Amino acid sequence: MSEPGIQYPETDDEVARIVSEACANRRPIEIRGGGTKRGYGRPLQVASALSVEKLSGITNYDPSELVMAARAGTPLEEIEAALALNKQMLTFEPMDHRPLLGASGVPTIGGVFAGNISGPRRISAGAARDSLLGVRFVNGSGEIIKSGGRVMKNVTGLDLVKLMAGSWGTLGVLCEVIFKVLPRPETMATIVVKGLNDAQAAEAMAAAMGMSVEVSGAAHLPESVVHKIADGALKGGPATVLRLEGLEPSVAVRRERLVEEMHRRGEVSVLDADATTSVWRDIRDVKPFAGASAGVSVKPVWRVSVAPSAGHQLVAALRLKTGVDAFFDWQGGLVWLQMEADPEADLVRKYIKALGGGHATLVRADAATRAAVPVFEPQPAALEALTKRIKEQFDPRAILNPGRMSSAV
Amino acid sequence: MTDLIAFLEPSRSVIDRRPTIIADLAELLPEGCLITEERELVPFDTDAFVSYRRMPLAVVLPETTAQVAAVMKYCNDNAIPVIPRGAGTSLSGGAIPQEDAVVIGVSKMNQIVEVDYPNRTAVVQAGVTNISISQSVDADGFFYAPDPSSQLACTIGGNIGMNSGGAHCLKYGVTTNNLLGVKMVMFDGSIVEIGGKALDSAGYDLLGLICGSEGQLGIVTEATVRLLAKPEGARPVLFGFESSVAAGACVTEIIGSGIIPVAIEFMDKPAIEICEAFAQAGYPMDVEALLIVEVEGSDAEMDAMLARIIEIARKHAVKTIKESQSATEAALIWKGRKSAFGATGRIADYICMDGTVPLGQLSHVLEKTSEIIDHYGLRVANVFHAGDGNMHPLILFDANDPEESMKAEMAGNDILKLCVDAGGCLTGEHGVGIEKRDLMRHQYTDADLAQQMRVRAAFDPQWILNPSKVFPLERRNGSQPGDPVPDAAAAPGKTAA
Ligand SMILES: Cc1cc2nc3c(=O)[nH]c(=O)nc-3n(C[C@H](O)[C@H](O)[C@H](O)COP(=O)(O)OP(=O)(O)OC[C@H]3O[C@@H](n4cnc5c(N)ncnc54)[C@H](O)[C@@H]3O)c2cc1C
Ligand SMILES: Cc1cc2nc3c(=O)[nH]c(=O)nc-3n(C[C@H](O)[C@H](O)[C@H](O)COP(=O)(O)OP(=O)(O)OC[C@H]3O[C@@H](n4cnc5c(N)ncnc54)[C@H](O)[C@@H]3O)c2cc1C
């Protein structure tokens, strides 16, 4: 299903040739994975695109080494299916943006790493960037560069692998990614504490994370969103949810200890493994704010990352000024905000600063808003200058996704 | 002493200006923060890679970020190389100075600025030792996870410089996975803050780039690190195997079965003998390889996990199984392992290599390593973090015998190349420093290296931060292999002196 103006390279060398030509002609190109978010973020002004759709397939997977290598265009579903066959998983639990964005398309493993997309387990197991061990990419001059490898520990030179994660295709076209995987937990359970307000929930989550029970997910679902999770399984007052994962005997012991501790704070119940799966999938995919289908105007959604104890304070402050609905993952540190009408960028960012720092990304908004509001957090001048210098070292003619992250890169 | 590794020719123009430079530095710093007497400079002339040393021009030990910034700006304005230094425990020569350089040491910046339990973070100055972070939060049930064996001495700044790991990083990751933010002085003296208490930060992952950059991108003065809740208990079990191959297969099966222990340490026969003779840990002497597998949790959890692990070991014809029944026994099992470096040092001089290989290649690399060692007529003891494929062959030799010293270095290089050829890398935790600088071309193509060097230049256009480390000397400033080595002071982009 090729579209005019889009090139579909099948090998790294072809990627390199296409980028070299674009570089020589100073013709910017859009880098496309599955395109699950095309039409979101800062609009690109480009004449042509490079799709990695045909750079597809798992290239190396030895379950006993806990490492997988795949070409960047490999659909995430294919990766997850291969892992599931071996009772393994991606540690960082990448979210599926399609419900939120009302988009179709096939999320790719390259797109996941290019966006450093991490879900609830980020709080215990690290982000996508922490799992990424090696990359091969084509820089903006058309050179094939590799960094990292198939090993868990590597301090050989500068860690370009981390830099590529979360660079949104502005530094290079990822051709192959190598990443760490983990055994799937044998079992799971979720402790549900009912009736806590946002501040009490933040405290309860901090207490749980401070215990030695290894909570692998900590989220708070206020009254306004709770009925939209897992088909209403948690409805009836706000719910604070704490996930345990691991071997059967471990989860049994830890569940008991955690229930005992949480009992003092509210009404406690426990969800089994199946219910746990659906609750956390919906939290991961921001189900409460799921959008209408493409084209229909929807309320703006922010993704905010702050210190866990600051999340509920941010929401409380915003509520005094504007209409906002919110829920919390990462112990309160990942705040999903759905604004009533106006995205209120200045207000959101002002409060984040006042609460000790962090950042906000406008994940969903109409085109006019996205053109007017910085989608990604603007950087302080010194970092902005550094960011520009780094971009120049990878993509001297600014042909890769120009303007995707900010007007500078 | 052998001299396989070249140093940059020191810049005459800098050395000739020494009196002025010292006078200027004295203006920038309070009393007691500037070292210029030869006798007092000696402790800074090398790090733990002791076969190479160079006297620095001067050493400064600032007390504040602002002082670091002032010195850095001065050095950049005057094209004076700068060597960032923590405790100087680098094993790859990462903190070794050069005659025309000012060492900026962070050892006086050793305060724990803030501990925040609800967010499980600590803000610490760069000169804080690794262990003191854990010590300061221990009573409250928390710890800082990365635990290099040098943790009594090494600083968090050095840990960030080297992205250090330790025995427990199989489960908890290395420094980069436990670092949330830094305050850093850039080449021109500007101060930037990257990250903080949030779990991720905006823009490019500069934190990921800085961690492990070996003092090439800036001087870290403060760090925000993650604290974790301490597990209820920890218990090691010791296994003795008939062969290294069996031990290696056991490691892959444990991990493949879904159990991630906190540590899996491997020792071969020579290492067992050396450590047992020193520590009397009760290690079995009739085996070829030994694994120490540690699990964590409540008693019930540990019992369950150990039962599964022992079942797997039995499938690999394990000869000895020692389950620790008490804290004393557990300590003894670890004592043998932890004294490996010290014990080896008592019987011979040694160099500790640090290559990483994919898990499936462990047996192959061990076998080839002994072939290489035999070829040079040397001895080797292997102790390493098997769970993540980080090998530490200790090559034994006599430092008083120049020929043997040379052979040891050559054998080490061959082993590192072997790791790379097996799909691994030159260094898993000790860094490139000067030691592996010239091997970089074995792992990277010219294009790969040039890309890294251009990124470096984005942070340090004059190339004055730790200039003779990590990258092959002849690749400086876009020159080609074989081109003459440019003088640091004559580098392009130099500002007026
Ligand atoms: C502005 C914006 C903000 C977003 N914010 C968030 C967020 O905060 N959190 C979140 O979890 N998700 C966010 N998303 C959604 C996320 O992009 C998708 O869910 C998923 O990562 C996309 O996978 P894909 O294969 O469809 O990639 P695409 O949608 O095709 O591409 C995603 C990005 O990665 C780049 N890219 C894709 N493939 C490659 C490659 N092989 N090499 C280099 N670059 C490549 C693209 O150019 C694009 O910038 C955001 C999306 C946008 C546009
Ligand atoms: C006995 C022994 C055991 C060891 N065991 C381990 C181990 O298990 N795991 C492991 O990973 N390492 C180990 N090491 C190596 C060493 O301890 C680590 O590399 C450590 O992180 C170095 O810390 P340091 O404070 O001594 O730094 P230094 O040696 O002073 O410096 C190390 C590097 O970091 C740079 N640097 C130092 N401070 C800063 C700063 N503030 N800002 C920017 N750059 C800076 C330096 O320029 C240099 O390149 C061991 C060393 C010894 C001697």
Side-chain angles (χ1 to χ4, degrees):
Chain A
M1 29 152 212
S2 34
E3 290 173 48
I6 304 184
Q7 304 202 63
Y8 296 85
E10 291 179 23
T11 63
D12 297 1
D13 287 337
E14 280 175 39
V15 176
R17 183 181 50 75
I18 293 166
V19 176
S20 296
E21 278 169 16
C23 178
N25 301 325
R26 297 177 184 264
R27 211 179 44 223
I29 43 177
E30 176 192 350
I31 316 305
R32 263 198 219 178
T36 54
K37 38 52 21 214
R38 289 211 61 236
Y40 280 84
R42 276 180 59 85
L44 291 175
Q45 304 291 326
V46 294
S48 60
L50 183 161
S51 165
V52 297
E53 190 179 300
K54 292 192 171 151
L55 290 176
S56 182
I58 294 168
T59 44
N60 191 326
Y61 176 36
D62 181 346
S64 69
E65 284 189 355
L66 301 180
V67 175
M68 183 184 268
R71 301 174 85 206
T74 312
L76 194 55
E77 270 135 50
E78 190 178 325
I79 305 267
E80 292 190 323
L83 290 170
L85 273 181
N86 291 283
K87 297 205 173 74
Q88 294 188 334
M89 62 175 190
L90 292 170
T91 58
F92 52 91
E93 223 181 342
M95 81 177 278
D96 183 346
H97 286 79
R98 287 172 292 187
L100 179 65
L101 303 181
S104 56
V106 182
T108 62
I109 191 71
V112 163
F113 282 111
N116 188 25
I117 308 300
S118 320
R121 208 181 291 104
R122 194 267 168 263
I123 193 164
S124 55
R129 57 85 99 170
D130 292 287
S131 285
L132 192 59
L133 303 174
V135 291
R136 203 170 54 251
F137 65 92
V138 171
N139 68 14
S141 310
E143 295 171 314
I144 299 175
I145 308 287
K146 80 180 170 353
S147 180
R150 279 168 65 207
V151 292
M152 303 287 171
K153 287 167 81 187
N154 183 354
V155 290
T156 322
L158 291 182
D159 195 350
L160 302 185
V161 176
K162 296 277 183 316
L163 194 59
M164 293 306 291
S167 61
W168 293 96
T170 61
L171 297 179
V173 184
L174 290 171
C175 296
E176 187 175 28
V177 288
I178 309 177
F179 46 94
K180 187 170 110 176
V181 301
L182 273 187
R184 267 198 189 178
E186 198 170 276
T187 192
M188 296 178 268
T190 296
I191 314 301
V192 185
V193 192
K194 292 296 284 191
L196 306 185
N197 66 30
D198 294 356
Q200 291 166 328
E203 209 184 294
M205 289 189 285
M209 296 297 302
M211 293 171 68
S212 58
V213 296
E214 295 187 18
V215 170
S216 77
H220 176 65
L221 307 161
E223 172 104 61
S224 61
V225 304
V226 73
H227 59 283
K228 293 185 185 155
I229 295 282
D231 295 326
L234 303 171
K235 70 172 184 282
T240 309
V241 287
L242 303 164
R243 183 174 62 183
L244 298 174
E245 297 177 298
L247 304 179
E248 301 269 5
S250 292
V251 171
V253 174
R254 292 170 183 192
R255 188 176 59 203
E256 210 169 297
R257 294 204 35 214
L258 194 53
V259 166
E260 199 181 293
E261 168 65 32
M262 289 301 133
H263 205 61
R264 298 191 261 126
R265 298 170 186 268
E267 185 197 317
V268 176
S269 58
V270 179
L271 304 180
D272 67 9
D274 286 344
T276 294
T277 304
S278 46
V279 164
W280 289 94
R281 185 191 299 125
D282 288 355
I283 292 171
R284 183 194 75 183
D285 296 343
V286 197
K287 198 66 176 297
F289 303 152
S293 52
V296 178
S297 147
V298 281
K299 295 175 181 171
V301 170
W302 288 97
R303 177 188 181 280
V304 174
S305 180
V306 288
S309 63
H312 72 279
Q313 300 178 55
L314 170 71
V315 173
L318 286 170
R319 283 211 174 107
L320 297 177
K321 297 274 185 186
T322 186
V324 54
D325 198 2
F327 74 96
F328 308 85
D329 195 359
W330 297 1
Q331 191 198 317
L334 179 65
V335 191
W336 288 100
L337 298 173
Q338 178 169 264
M339 312 308 285
E340 209 39 64
D342 190 312
E344 300 282 12
D346 294 341
L347 199 62
V348 170
R349 290 188 163 132
K350 188 176 98 187
Y351 286 162
I352 289 174
K353 221 168 255 145
L355 286 165
H359 61 100
T361 310
L362 183 57
V363 174
R364 188 177 74 192
D366 59 40
T369 310
R370 280 179 287 111
V373 167
V375 167
F376 292 94
E377 186 76 26
Q379 307 243 68
L383 290 183
E384 176 80 24
L386 182 58
T387 297
K388 259 194 215 169
R389 292 202 297 273
I390 292 172
K391 164 80 175 176
E392 281 160 20
Q393 301 304 338
F394 282 85
D395 182 18
R397 292 191 168 174
I399 55 155
L400 302 176
N401 278 354
R404 169 63 96 194
M405 295 180 72
S406 70
S407 55
V409 297
Chain B
M1 189 167 75
T2 59
D3 255 352
L4 279 184
I5 299 170
F7 276 70
L8 277 180
E9 195 59 40
S11 156
R12 255 299 120 213
S13 71
V14 172
I15 291 178
D16 290 345
R17 282 182 282 148
R18 184 167 191 258
T20 325
I21 292 169
I22 286 173
D24 292 345
L25 288 173
E27 299 264 300
L28 299 173
L29 293 160
E31 195 117 341
C33 292
L34 175 63
I35 296 173
T36 56
E37 294 291 326
E38 175 154 348
R39 186 173 43 84
E40 294 172 54
L41 287 174
V42 171
F44 296 92
D45 73 354
T46 188
D47 51 24
F49 190 58
V50 290
S51 36
Y52 290 84
R53 26 187 105 232
R54 289 291 185 276
M55 221 39 152
L57 193 77
V59 173
V60 299
L61 302 173
E63 292 166 342
T64 65
T65 301
Q67 290 165 15
V68 173
V71 174
M72 193 66 232
K73 178 175 187 335
Y74 173 80
C75 290
N76 186 61
D77 287 349
N78 293 284
I80 304 162
V82 166
I83 313 291
R85 183 178 177 105
T89 66
S90 166
L91 289 165
S92 58
I96 288 180
Q98 54 195 49
E99 295 90 334
D100 55 356
V102 171
V103 171
I104 302 185
V106 293
S107 58
K108 286 193 179 185
M109 301 176 69
N110 57 7
Q111 300 300 307
I112 292 178
V113 179
E114 188 203 1
V115 171
D116 175 350
Y117 290 131
N119 290 313
R120 290 180 319 292
T121 54
V123 178
V124 303
Q125 292 184 332
V128 159
T129 60
N130 174 291
I131 199 153
S132 64
I133 303 177
S134 288
Q135 279 170 347
S136 73
V137 297
D138 179 75
D140 297 306
F142 291 88
F143 74 113
Y144 172 64
D147 59 343
S149 312
S150 53
Q151 69 183 149
L152 280 174
C154 67
T155 67
I156 196 74
N159 289 176
I160 293 167
M162 290 306 191
N163 190 16
S164 298
H168 292 85
C169 59
L170 176 57
K171 177 171 173 193
Y172 296 116
V174 293
T175 303
T176 193
N177 310 118
N178 291 276
L179 182 69
L180 291 174
V182 292
K183 186 185 274 184
M184 187 170 91
V185 175
M186 302 282 299
F187 71 101
D188 58 355
S190 58
I191 298 165
V192 294
E193 291 193 44
I194 296 166
K197 288 184 185 177
L199 279 176
D200 56 8
S201 50
Y204 291 153
D205 188 0
L206 302 178
L207 203 56
L209 195 61
I210 288 159
C211 198
S213 63
E214 306 197 22
Q216 306 247 313
L217 305 186
I219 301 183
V220 174
T221 59
E222 217 171 88
T224 305
V225 298
R226 255 155 89 89
L227 300 175
L228 296 176
K230 267 199 311 187
E232 252 179 86
R235 214 189 289 157
V237 56
L238 182 147
F239 296 117
F241 291 90
E242 298 269 7
S243 70
S244 291
V245 175
C250 183
V251 172
T252 33
E253 189 167 341
I254 291 172
I255 290 179
S257 78
I259 304 172
I260 306 293
V262 270
I264 305 184
E265 296 291 300
F266 183 112
M267 298 168 85
D268 68 0
K269 192 165 180 77
I272 301 169
E273 283 169 359
I274 291 168
C275 294
E276 179 61 16
F278 178 81
Q280 274 108 45
Y283 288 173
M285 302 308 290
D286 59 341
V287 298
E288 286 298 315
L290 177 157
L291 293 180
I292 300 171
V293 182
E294 181 155 277
V295 297
E296 281 180 350
S298 60
D299 280 330
E301 288 175 75
M302 293 193 291
D303 287 344
M305 267 188 282
L306 286 176
R308 291 195 197 186
I309 290 170
I310 288 170
E311 197 182 311
I312 292 170
R314 289 224 163 89
K315 287 203 262 173
H316 295 276
V318 65
K319 244 180 125 176
T320 319
I321 302 175
K322 260 192 156 183
E323 269 192 89
S324 58
Q325 306 297 340
S326 66
T328 324
E329 282 181 31
L332 206 54
I333 289 180
W334 275 113
K335 185 177 173 211
R337 164 65 183 88
K338 290 195 169 161
S339 51
F341 287 7
T344 307
R346 294 203 323 164
I347 64 158
D349 301 301
Y350 71 89
I351 42 176
C352 173
M353 307 312 294
D354 166 48
T356 307
V357 300
L359 276 188
Q361 298 289 317
L362 275 177
S363 306
H364 164 75
V365 171
L366 279 171
E367 205 173 294
K368 287 279 171 202
T369 297
S370 29
E371 283 174 23
I372 291 169
I373 291 294
D374 286 349
H375 168 79
Y376 287 104
L378 298 168
R379 284 191 301 153
V380 66
N382 283 290
V383 280
F384 58 91
H385 317 303
D388 34 40
N390 192 183
M391 321 225 3
H392 288 316
L394 304 179
I395 303 173
L396 313 186
F397 69 105
D398 176 0
N400 291 321
D401 177 343
E403 198 190 336
E404 205 164 87
S405 304
M406 179 78 88
K407 280 183 180 166
E409 276 194 51
M410 283 165 28
N413 286 353
D414 288 358
I415 290 170
L416 293 179
K417 287 181 181 171
L418 164 69
C419 291
V420 173
D421 295 341
C425 64
L426 292 173
T427 168
E429 56 183 23
H430 296 167
V432 177
I434 56 168
E435 185 198 20
K436 281 154 272 191
R437 192 184 60 200
D438 296 313
L439 290 173
M440 288 285 273
R441 295 232 291 294
H442 197 76
Q443 184 166 338
Y444 296 114
T445 63
D446 276 357
D448 299 342
L449 271 179
Q451 181 66 70
Q452 291 185 34
M453 291 165 82
R454 286 198 304 269
V455 173
R456 190 202 184 290
F459 283 81
D460 175 22
Q462 279 200 94
W463 207 287
I464 63 166
L465 276 153
N466 223 359
S468 57
K469 314 290 162 62
V470 183
F471 297 103
L473 293 186
E474 76 272 21
R475 298 281 302 142
R476 282 308 136 75
N477 302 321
S479 65
Q480 293 306 308
D483 283 358
V485 175
D487 183 336
K494 171 178 175 294
T495 46

